[in-house]
Amino acid sequence: MSSLDDINERRAKEAARIRLALNKQRGIARSNIKGGEGVVAFVKEELCIGCDQCDIVCDDDAIEMYKVPLRNPLMKVESNQNAKIIRDYCTGCRLCVLACPTDAINMIDRC
């Protein structure tokens, strides 16, 4: 039978292996995000949680937070906020995409 120390050691090694694999996948996904003058950020409103992270990292003032009604009537909060991209100011730098914890922001072609 395995001792508690052996189990904890194997658990720590497995957690490190999983963390390494997930970080590698995130790096590949982030490198595939297109950016530049030909693209603009787009927010999927249904995924936006109003955390303000995108607005914090945007150096171009291309993100505006606006109030929306809260979807969950059980919570006692009067309003929530969502992000909105101001297309004219967006430079396609992708910082907001990388900062969004819910993957609510994507880069789309600027038409």
Side-chain angles (χ1 to χ4, degrees):
M1 183 171 236
S2 298
S3 71
L4 185 57
D5 290 337
D6 290 339
I7 292 171
N8 286 334
E9 184 180 335
R10 282 188 293 174
R11 184 177 288 158
K13 285 181 182 179
E14 186 65 13
R17 185 190 67 77
I18 291 170
R19 188 172 27 260
L20 184 66
L22 288 174
N23 286 338
K24 182 178 178 183
Q25 287 297 326
R26 278 192 203 108
I28 292 169
R30 287 179 176 175
S31 68
N32 290 334
I33 299 170
K34 58 184 173 181
E37 292 290 323
V39 294
V40 65
F42 176 77
V43 179
K44 295 180 191 173
E45 289 185 20
E46 64 275 5
L47 296 178
C48 181
I49 59 172
C51 68
D52 206 22
Q53 294 300 306
C54 56
D55 192 29
I56 292 170
V57 299
C58 183
D59 294 331
D60 304 312
D61 292 328
I63 298 175
E64 180 178 280
M65 302 305 288
Y66 66 97
K67 299 289 184 189
V68 294
L70 194 64
R71 292 188 190 107
N72 188 347
L74 299 175
M75 295 180 71
K76 302 295 182 197
V77 179
E78 294 199 13
S79 68
N80 191 16
Q81 60 183 3
N82 273 2
K84 177 172 75 171
I85 306 296
I86 303 169
R87 292 175 59 100
D88 293 338
Y89 297 151
C90 181
T91 60
C93 71
R94 308 176 315 173
L95 288 176
C96 57
V97 177
L98 299 174
C100 183
T102 61
D103 295 330
I105 305 175
N106 293 317
M107 301 303 287
I108 60 172
D109 291 329
R110 190 184 296 264
C111 295

